[in-house]
Amino acid sequence: DTEVTQTPKHLVMGMTNKKSLKCEQHMGHRAMYWYKQKAKKPPELMFVYSYEKLSINESVPSRFSPECPNSSLLNLHLHALQPEDSALYLCASSQEVPLPNEQFFGPGTRLTVL
Amino acid sequence: GQNIDQPTEMTATEGAIVQINCTYQTSGFNGLFWYQQHAGEAPTFLSYNVLDGLEEKGRFSSFLSRSKGYSYLLLKELQMKDSASYLCAVRDDEADKLIFGTGTRLQVFP
């Protein structure tokens, strides 16, 4: 299994909703990442988990809350989002941190906040 | 500061060769990646350079000059399916993360 899976593929939510994005990998990777990507822009790093511990938080607003329940799973809990948070949210994994080589990206969740 | 520059858009003809350039200035450097991203899809890994020189992988090659802060991705025998965005990303080992360039949108015409 050499892929990263993400659910849901699409999500529409209101500003008062609470929702979660899920990411899973079974490659034995010990580092997992959340990126946000706006249209025609590069991915922007949000969070990095290394060995199930949060190692990097790129000053992301607290309405985004990451969680790593185990080495294969990464969640992103969303609450009280703003319309400008609408974007493609990408999960990625790599063997470990520091990055030795490539990151494997999931297909992303396209989020729309109304 | 950290800065990674790529051309915004390029066009080319099917069967041709295209070179996409990337220049970078980062506080730390430990490798440069090229990713391909089709519209609405996740980035997929193309190449990784950490030493100066050319890495060849089928129709795609990537070159790195660390002293010049410069890389290019060379695509040969272009196919319509090569129409995509190409992202240059630098591994900044001081910040311990990948820093992405803005990407180059390549359109291949018949």
Side-chain angles (χ1 to χ4, degrees), chain B residues 1-78:
Chain B
Q2 296 170 330
N3 197 38
I4 301 178
D5 284 320
Q6 303 177 235
T8 306
E9 292 193 357
M10 297 182 74
T11 59
T13 308
E14 203 173 9
I17 298 173
V18 73
Q19 178 174 312
I20 303 174
N21 296 325
C22 172
T23 56
Y24 63 89
Q25 285 179 298
T26 54
S27 50
F29 177 87
N30 199 358
L32 186 144
F33 297 79
W34 284 97
Y35 282 86
Q36 180 191 61
Q37 187 175 26
H38 286 98
E41 297 182 12
T44 55
F45 171 79
L46 291 178
S47 68
Y48 173 64
N49 294 68
V50 66
L51 300 175
D52 286 356
L54 189 68
E55 294 277 344
E56 295 187 78
K57 212 176 186 182
R59 293 190 298 116
F60 294 2
S61 304
S62 57
F63 172 83
L64 176 67
S65 169
R66 292 179 66 151
S67 61
K68 294 181 180 171
Y70 168 69
S71 172
Y72 67 73
L73 180 69
L74 192 71
L75 294 80
K76 300 177 192 172
E77 300 168 20
L78 281 173

